[in-house]
Amino acid sequence: MGMNKNTVLAWATFIMIFVGFALIGLGAFRYDDVAGWGFASVGIGFFAIAWVFNALKGRV
């Protein structure tokens, strides 16, 4: 069960999406002050990086 580059990018995309949802959830439900906005914006950044990883599948 070897993992090629596309499989690694697929797993990285899945993990980044999961962490992005977790960060947005922390920002929305755990922190009610300004820190919540920071957590949510970092979560959106994780979505952007996951989008790039998904776009790279099949190209590297």
Side-chain angles (χ1 to χ4, degrees):
M1 185 190 140
M3 289 178 56
N4 59 8
K5 290 180 267 187
N6 289 330
T7 308
V8 170
L9 283 173
W11 275 105
T13 302
F14 174 71
I15 292 169
M16 296 284 287
I17 288 173
F18 179 75
V19 171
F21 276 130
L23 285 170
I24 290 174
L26 277 174
F29 299 114
R30 175 69 171 94
Y31 297 104
D32 294 332
D33 52 353
V34 179
W37 289 98
F39 274 96
S41 63
V42 170
I44 292 171
F46 268 74
F47 284 157
I49 296 170
W51 181 30
V52 170
F53 281 171
N54 193 27
L56 285 175
K57 282 192 312 190
R59 299 190 188 276
V60 284

